[in-house]
């Protein structure tokens, strides 16, 4: 398991806290999956925030606050500072959204915000694309973890650009990377882990499932399977068939 | 004075952000604050004056992905 800013997680699954049918179901999803990190946000206090916070604290997981919904570097930096004040962690999942339909990161705003926050002592988890140049610039800005998307947030499409992600992984083998967003099925998570990513972050795939607790467990098993498979050194792919059963000793019929 | 709190105009008697939070019922609440669009650390609330027309954002932990 990789190191995320000096923290070794017990489980490579990070789970969001939004969109569950009830707080009890959310809690069951966390407990059933053993997810080690919970993402949370900041919104205007309207009476529900304090109760939500006590549930999250009782889970005993590490908190990763996000800057979801921010469309400019200034907005994201301000939100990150508010999150650090409230959640007392330097971790921040940095989202600077550039497009309303795809929720694709704005690479320019993202880099600007990452530079400011890293210089201010934050441990930035930038929500990015598979773009290698942007990844390199984020690393140079002080990011020691990257969070490339699998597909647009909430789409459930899985790994949209496997080749691009594979190249990103190969380009920076020592930088911990979390596939964040777009996963829909446990097989997508296993795929990401088999490809050498260090963790996955998901929310809708679990919270929108008919049985979120069961789906969370399924994802946890898939993540574990993918990780085991990667460490077991998978066989190479070939174009032609290679018989696995020995030909020697075959009867003459 | 009139202060915009989380997008709603409110009459506030308190003259610091910390006292305003207490007046609004958030004395014990775990919240983060921004004043006129800029981050206001919790440690600065007691000394931060509140003025007529100020825009105060009071944010709480919420569900997120």
């Amino acid at each position: 398991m990789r190191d995320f800013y000096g923290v070794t997680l017990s489980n490579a699954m990070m789970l969001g806290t939004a969109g569950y049918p009830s707080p009890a179901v959310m809690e069951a999803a966390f407990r059933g999956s053993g997810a080690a990190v919970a993402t949370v946000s900041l919104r205007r206090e309207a009476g529900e925030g304090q109760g939500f916070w006590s549930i999250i604290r009782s889970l005993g997981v590490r908190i990763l606050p996000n800057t979801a919904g921010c469309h400019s570097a200034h907005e994201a930096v301000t939100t990150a500072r508010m999150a650090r004040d409230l959640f007392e962690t330097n971790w921040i999942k940095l989202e600077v959204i550039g497009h309303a339909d795809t929720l694709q990161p704005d690479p320019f705003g993202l880099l600007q915000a990452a530079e400011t926050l890293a210089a201010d002592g934050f441990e930035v988890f930038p929500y990015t694309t598979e773009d290698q140049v942007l990844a390199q610039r984020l690393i140079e800005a002080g990011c020691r973890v990257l969070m490339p998307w699998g597909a647009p947030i909430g789409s459930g499409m899985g790994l949209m650009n496997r080749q691009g992600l594979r190249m990103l992984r190969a380009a920076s083998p020592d930088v911990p990377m979390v596939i964040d967003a777009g996963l829909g099925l446990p097989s997508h998570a296993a795929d990401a882990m088999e490809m050498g990513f260090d963790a996955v972050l998901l929310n809708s795939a679990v919270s929108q499932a008919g049985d979120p607790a069961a789906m969370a467990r399924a994802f946890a098993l898939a993540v574990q399977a993918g990780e085991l498979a990667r460490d077991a050194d998978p066989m190479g792919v070939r174009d032609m068939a290679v018989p696995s059963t020995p030909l020697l000793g075959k009867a003459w019929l | 004075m009139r202060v915009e709190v989380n997008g709603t105009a409110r009459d506030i008697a308190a003259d610091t952000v910390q006292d305003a939070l207490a007046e609004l019922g958030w004395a014990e609440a775990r919240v983060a604050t921004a004043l006129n669009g800029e981050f206001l650390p919790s440690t600065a609330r007691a000394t931060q004056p509140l003025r007529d027309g100020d825009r105060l954002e009071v944010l709480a932990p919420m569900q997120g992905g």
Side-chain angles (χ1 to χ4, degrees), chain A residues 81-176:
Chain A
R81 290 185 169 138
M82 294 175 84
R84 178 162 69 177
D85 197 33
L86 197 153
F87 296 112
E88 295 169 345
T89 174
N90 286 326
W91 280 20
I92 190 75
K93 176 185 159 183
L94 181 61
E95 288 184 40
V96 182
I97 300 301
H99 193 282
D101 290 334
T102 60
L103 299 180
Q104 182 170 342
D106 168 1
F108 309 99
L110 179 67
L111 182 60
Q112 193 189 339
E115 280 169 348
T116 305
L117 291 172
D120 193 16
F122 280 88
E123 295 172 327
V124 182
F125 291 66
Y127 167 59
T128 183
T129 65
E130 66 275 18
D131 189 298
Q132 275 190 60
V133 179
L134 175 57
Q136 193 52 45
R137 296 290 295 273
L138 287 166
I139 294 165
E140 286 163 13
C143 297
R144 287 190 280 131
V145 173
L146 295 177
M147 290 233 213
W149 67 350
I153 295 171
S155 68
M157 289 192 287
L159 307 182
M160 227 172 26
N161 180 359
R162 296 182 80 255
Q163 192 50 33
L165 287 168
R166 202 183 287 284
M167 287 164 68
L168 175 67
R169 176 69 285 181
S172 302
D174 299 326
V175 176

Side-chain angles (χ1 to χ4, degrees), chain A residues 17 41 43-44 50 66 86, chain B residues 30 42 57 60 62-65:
Chain A
T17 56
S41 72
R43 289 292 179 261
R44 285 173 168 173
Q50 308 306 312
N66 70 25
L86 197 153
Chain B
R30 197 178 176 97
S42 48
E57 290 286 342
M62 212 55 75
Q63 291 84 352

Side-chain angles (χ1 to χ4, degrees), chain A residues 194-207:
Chain A
E194 286 166 12
M195 284 168 65
F197 289 94
D198 302 290
V200 297
L201 196 167
L202 51 138
N203 190 152
S204 307
V206 168
S207 68

Side-chain angles (χ1 to χ4, degrees), chain A residues 176-192:
Chain A
M177 291 188 199
V178 184
I179 293 289
D180 174 17
L183 303 186
L185 289 168
S187 52
H188 301 153
D191 194 15

